[in-house]
C-alpha cells in the first residue's frame, strides 16, 4: 500500500506513518530524533503531536526551485519508480498544497530553519551543521520537512 501511494505521488495516511515512526523511536532508545520528510501535511503534524505529545524543537526547510529539484531527481538515477517527470510534478503540487502550510505553521512559531538547498552540497551541509551547532542546549526532538 505504501509503495503504491508513493508511486502515485500521494501521502501515506497519518496513522500508518505515525505508528511506524513511534515504533522506530521507541525501539531506538534515544531522546533525539531527526525525522526526514515528516510531517507532510497538517493532518500529519497535528496527529503526530497529539499521539506522541512531541512538538519539534525546530524544523529544517530545504528551499530549492522546482526546476532544480526536477533536474536533480531526474539525474540521480537510483532506479526509483517515482523518479519520472509526471510523478515529480505531482509531488511538487502535493508539496505546495499540503506540506507548505505545515512549514508556514512552524514558521509562525519561529521554528523553521531555512537552508538554501540550491547551493553546492558542501555549502548545504555546512549550513545544516551550523543549525545544529547553534543549539547549545539539550535538543529534545527534531523534525524535517522535505519534498
Amino acid at each position: 500500500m505504501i509503495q503504491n501511494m508513493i508511486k502515485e505521488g500521494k501521502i501515506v495516511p497519518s496513522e500508518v506513518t505515525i505508528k511506524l515512526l513511534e515504533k522506530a523511536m521507541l525501539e531506538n532508545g534515544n531522546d533525539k530524533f531527526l525525522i526526514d520528510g515528516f510531517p507532510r501535511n497538517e493532518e500529519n503534524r497535528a496527529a503526530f503531536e497529539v499521539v506522541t505529545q512531541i512538538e519539534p524543537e525546530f524544523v529544517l526547510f530545504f528551499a530549492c526551485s522546482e526546476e532544480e529539484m526536477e533536474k536533480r531527481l531526474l539525474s540521480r538515477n537510483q532506479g526509483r519508480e517515482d523518479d519520472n517527470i509526471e510523478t515529480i510534478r505531482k509531488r511538487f503540487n502535493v508539496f505546495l498544497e499540503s506540506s507548505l502550510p505545515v512549514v508556514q505553521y512552524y514558521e509562525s512559531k519561529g521554528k523553521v530553519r531555512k537552508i538554501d538547498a540550491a547551493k553546492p552540497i558542501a555549502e548545504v551541509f555546512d549550513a545544516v551543521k551550523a543549525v545544529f551547532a547553534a543549539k547549545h542546549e539539550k535538543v529534545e526532538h527534531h523534525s524535517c520537512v522535505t519534498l
Side-chain angles (χ1 to χ4, degrees), residues 8-21:
E8 292 297 316
K10 296 180 181 175
I11 294 175
V12 177
S14 295
E15 58 273 4
V16 173
T17 305
I18 292 169
K19 285 178 185 175
L20 290 170
L21 284 172

Side-chain angles (χ1 to χ4, degrees), residues 45 49 55 104-113:
R45 183 205 61 78
E49 290 182 11
E55 184 176 327
Q104 293 165 335
Y105 169 83
Y106 285 120
E107 198 163 38
S108 74
K109 299 182 96 175
K111 292 182 176 256
V112 172
R113 306 298 182 266

Side-chain angles (χ1 to χ4, degrees), residues 8-40:
E8 292 297 316
K10 296 180 181 175
I11 294 175
V12 177
S14 295
E15 58 273 4
V16 173
T17 305
I18 292 169
K19 285 178 185 175
L20 290 170
L21 284 172
E22 191 170 40
K23 181 177 187 275
M25 291 166 73
L26 291 171
E27 289 175 357
N28 179 280
N30 199 339
D31 67 347
K32 297 174 184 75
F33 301 95
L34 174 67
I35 303 172
D36 181 18
F38 188 84
R40 291 281 175 114

